[in-house]
């Protein structure tokens, strides 16, 4: 099978060997860093971005605070739904891990005996990142870049084919975007109820927070509504 990589007859395997080959040439300490980054680090960083976006949004407040928080709540839910959707896909495809079919790979993480397609990690991080992008462009773009780096790290570690990662990106994106309208319709009334609560309202809007300008949000209608408020103020 290694001959396929050398002949170039299988681009997926060829790219696997090219990327994983970097691990063989890299220092041992760098491989350990990539192992941590690929397993936990980038996922943790994206979660921190979601929390940062929530914290800055609640301090800004505004009329759209509840819908903004609803969009952020959807981020971890989208990741969970995407991983659940992947369970039957993995069982149907039943693709072995690359190191089980190809010799000479530098495998940085042991104990990966489940199926390879689609990558759970790639699905998880991209669903989080795309759902965050729906809530806030600036935070979302950073998260998407981190998610792509996370997918690269999975191939570097020798535990996934490139197509496993691409499939995970596609699945995470599809779940986050296609189910977003339904999620917003269900979550927004809930976050508005929390906003009205005297005890839990701080989760949505900080005390004394001013009006929100809605910049960076891609929630349908958010920027348009805020623009209308500004126009009315100027007309007055």
């Amino acid at each position: 099978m290694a001959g396929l990589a050398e002949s170039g007859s299988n681009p997926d395997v060829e790219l696997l060997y090219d990327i994983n080959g970097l691990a063989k040439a890299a220092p041992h300490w760098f491989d350990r860093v990539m192992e941590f980054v690929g397993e936990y680090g980038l996922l943790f960083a994206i979660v921190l971005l979601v929390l940062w976006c929530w914290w800055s949004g609640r301090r800004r407040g505004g009329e759209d605070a509840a819908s903004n928080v609803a969009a952020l709540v959807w981020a971890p839910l989208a990741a969970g739904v995407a991983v659940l959707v992947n369970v039957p896909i993995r069982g149907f495809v039943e693709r072995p891990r690359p190191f089980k079919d190809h010799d000479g790979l530098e495998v940085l993480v042991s104990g990966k005996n489940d199926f390879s397609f689609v990558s759970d990690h790639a699905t998880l991080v991209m669903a989080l990142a795309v759902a965050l992008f729906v809530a806030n462009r600036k935070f979302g773009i950073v998260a998407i870049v981190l998610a792509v780096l996370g997918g690269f790290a999975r191939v570097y570690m020798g535990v996934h084919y490139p197509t496993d990662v691409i499939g995970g990106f596609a699945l995470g994106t599809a779940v986050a975007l296609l189910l977003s309208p339904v999620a917003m319709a269900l979550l927004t009334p809930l976050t508005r109820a929390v906003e009205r609560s005297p005890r839990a309202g701080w989760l949505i809007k900080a005390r004394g927070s001013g009006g929100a300008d809605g910049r960076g949000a891609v929630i349908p209608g958010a920027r348009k509504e805020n623009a209308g408020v500004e126009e009315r103020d100027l007309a007055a």
Side-chain angles (χ1 to χ4, degrees):
M1 298 299 289
L4 290 175
E6 297 175 358
S7 65
S9 59
N10 190 329
D12 195 23
V13 178
E14 180 181 5
L15 189 57
L16 165 68
Y17 274 95
D18 287 342
I19 296 176
N20 181 253
L22 299 174
K24 293 184 177 181
H28 178 75
W29 65 265
F30 186 78
D31 285 347
R32 299 285 74 80
V33 171
M34 289 295 289
E35 177 185 346
F36 173 78
V37 167
E39 281 286 289
Y40 312 107
L42 291 174
L43 174 60
F44 183 67
I46 296 175
V47 171
L48 287 180
L49 280 175
V50 173
L51 293 175
W52 185 6
C53 187
W54 162 74
W55 184 259
S56 62
R58 65 175 289 275
R59 293 181 63 185
R60 188 170 58 248
E63 296 180 357
D64 297 313
S67 60
N68 291 337
V69 173
L72 292 174
V73 171
W74 169 234
L77 293 178
V81 171
V83 171
L84 289 177
V85 171
N86 190 32
V87 172
I89 295 176
R90 277 191 158 196
F92 177 77
V93 178
E94 294 186 346
R95 187 184 201 182
R97 295 280 182 169
F99 54 80
K100 292 188 175 182
D101 287 340
H102 305 284
D103 298 327
L105 292 175
E106 185 78 9
V107 183
L108 303 186
V109 181
S110 60
K112 300 289 184 180
N113 297 315
D114 54 345
F115 296 122
S116 186
F117 185 90
V118 176
S119 167
D120 274 339
H121 273 77
T123 301
L124 184 67
V125 293
M126 189 55 74
L128 270 171
V130 172
L132 179 56
F133 180 82
V134 172
N136 186 287
R137 283 192 181 95
K138 293 180 180 179
F139 283 93
I141 289 174
V142 175
I144 289 174
V145 171
L146 293 178
V148 172
L149 292 176
F152 177 85
R154 302 303 291 175
V155 181
Y156 180 97
M157 293 160 60
V159 295
H160 280 295
Y161 294 94
T163 49
D164 297 337
V165 172
I166 294 172
F169 288 165
L171 177 59
T173 300
V175 169
L177 291 181
L178 295 179
L179 297 183
S180 178
V182 177
M184 291 298 297
L186 296 175
L187 292 173
T188 301
L190 178 61
T191 54
R192 284 176 178 165
V194 174
E195 183 181 18
R196 293 190 295 267
S197 172
R199 293 186 177 181
W202 64 271
L203 292 170
I204 310 299
K205 185 188 301 184
R207 294 180 179 178
S209 58
D213 56 9
R215 287 175 293 183
V218 292
I219 299 170
R223 299 185 65 168
K224 183 177 180 181
E225 292 171 4
N226 288 330
V229 173
E230 292 178 359
E231 291 175 0
R232 288 195 297 270
D233 290 343
L234 290 175

